[in-house]
Amino acid sequence: QVQLVESGGGLVQAGGSLRLSCAASGRTFSTIAMDWFRQAPGKEREFVAAINWSGFTTRYADSVKGRFTITRDNGANRMYLQMNSLRPEDTAIYYCAAEAGPVIIMSPRHWGQGTQVTVSS
């Protein structure tokens, strides 16, 4: 069982930056792929970014490529999402998620409670 807690959300102006953090409990963190998803009001939850167990492989949604960077620190059981050049359409609740194995398949097994990101125009 993996428990996930997100932090770092908030209100920022368009063009600004935020860094989200996901703290994971459990000894399996370093062996599993991790994801970020988001859900905007009235919309379905969507994939944002993913990172494999080692951190060497990453994937991004087209809408955030070149602006967001996903990283992880296995020694600290943490994952991060650096978000630059934020746009109002990035406003959403951002969720940290853990997959079942080391490879990215974008099918999480465990979810955090989410952190709100609001980008004003």
Side-chain angles (χ1 to χ4, degrees), residues 20 23 33 35 40 79 85 109:
L20 303 184
D35 307 324
M79 176 180 67
S85 302
R109 177 172 289 183

Side-chain angles (χ1 to χ4, degrees), residues 7-9 17-21 71 80-83 86:
S7 61
S17 298
L18 280 176
R19 188 193 195 206
L20 303 184
S21 179
T71 57
Y80 305 96
L81 186 68
Q82 178 67 43
M83 305 186 295
L86 282 161

Side-chain angles (χ1 to χ4, degrees), residues 30-46:
S30 63
T31 65
I32 56 177
M34 297 289 296
D35 307 324
W36 287 99
F37 281 74
R38 68 185 181 187
Q39 187 166 19
K43 295 187 177 181
E44 297 204 349
R45 191 174 297 188
E46 64 175 3

Side-chain angles (χ1 to χ4, degrees), residues 99-121:
E99 302 208 27
V103 176
I104 297 169
I105 60 171
M106 294 180 283
S107 182
R109 177 172 289 183
H110 305 285
W111 295 87
Q113 83 289 350
T115 185
Q116 177 71 47
V117 171
T118 303
V119 184
S120 63
S121 56

Side-chain angles (χ1 to χ4, degrees), residues 1-2 24-31 77:
Q1 184 78 9
V2 178
S25 66
R27 294 177 292 177
T28 60
F29 176 80
S30 63
T31 65
N77 272 22

Side-chain angles (χ1 to χ4, degrees), residues 42-117:
K43 295 187 177 181
E44 297 204 349
R45 191 174 297 188
E46 64 175 3
F47 168 77
V48 175
I51 189 165
N52 78 330
W53 70 276
S54 66
F56 289 152
T57 301
T58 58
R59 291 189 185 172
Y60 296 93
D62 287 344
S63 59
V64 306
K65 259 180 208 174
R67 301 188 297 122
F68 290 11
T69 302
I70 186 171
T71 57
R72 67 189 297 161
D73 182 344
N74 285 345
N77 272 22
R78 282 186 178 266
M79 176 180 67
Y80 305 96
L81 186 68
Q82 178 67 43
M83 305 186 295
N84 299 329
S85 302
L86 282 161
R87 305 167 181 167
E89 53 265 38
D90 294 318
T91 295
I93 299 174
Y94 283 71
Y95 296 91
C96 167
E99 302 208 27
V103 176
I104 297 169
I105 60 171
M106 294 180 283
S107 182
R109 177 172 289 183
H110 305 285
W111 295 87
Q113 83 289 350
T115 185
Q116 177 71 47
V117 171

